[in-house]
Amino acid sequence: MGPITLLPETIAQTDGAGPVIDLQNSSAKLLVFTLGITRSAEQQSVDIAVWGSEDREHWGEKPLATLPPKFYCGVYSMLVNLAFRPKVKYLRIQWRMRRWSRGEAGPLFGIYAFAEESGSRLVAKA
């Protein structure tokens, strides 16, 4: 399984969700989720959550995983273990943004996200 784009690079100014991504019968049980932040202003943060679904409609009450709030440009990764969720066939990400400055400008982030099977980079190099 190659990288799965969960969110192409996007300039976000409000809370939102990425497209629903079909895992295409992947047998991967441990995924590496990567978030890239390419643009950020000061005095703001973004919270990212990875959600899973069996049917594209019901996403549960809790996300599969969440990243701690992010404030700065960079690349951040975390493991998402699907071993205990074998029926998950679809993924999507959601984000919430906060800005606490006194100016009128709202939050603004440039973000992208993808997932890949854990160890896939090692196998590709071998």
Side-chain angles (χ1 to χ4, degrees):
M1 172 178 96
I4 300 169
T5 301
L6 298 173
L7 182 69
E9 187 162 358
T10 301
I11 301 297
Q13 295 180 298
T14 60
D15 297 348
V20 175
I21 304 300
D22 186 345
L23 289 176
Q24 302 169 354
N25 299 322
S26 170
S27 61
K29 299 298 179 201
L30 189 59
L31 297 176
V32 178
F33 167 77
T34 301
L35 168 71
I37 299 177
T38 59
R39 185 172 176 186
S40 176
E42 57 186 29
Q43 297 182 329
Q44 66 177 9
S45 67
V46 62
D47 299 323
I48 303 285
V50 180
W51 292 83
S53 174
E54 298 174 19
D55 59 6
R56 297 179 65 113
E57 293 182 28
H58 301 94
W59 295 91
E61 295 179 20
K62 292 173 58 177
L64 298 172
T66 58
L67 278 169
K70 299 299 176 197
F71 306 91
Y72 305 108
C73 294
V75 178
Y76 306 94
S77 295
M78 71 176 166
L79 293 175
V80 177
N81 189 349
L82 298 179
F84 301 110
R85 307 271 181 111
K87 294 183 181 180
V88 168
K89 301 210 181 323
Y90 304 95
L91 294 177
R92 77 171 179 194
I93 67 164
Q94 286 184 304
W95 61 89
R96 290 193 178 155
M97 303 188 319
R98 288 183 299 233
R99 184 157 176 95
W100 54 86
S101 71
R102 295 182 187 204
E104 292 184 25
L108 180 118
F109 278 96
I111 55 176
Y112 66 88
F114 64 91
E116 57 192 329
E117 187 174 351
S118 178
S120 64
R121 293 181 195 174
L122 298 174
V123 173
K125 287 187 177 185

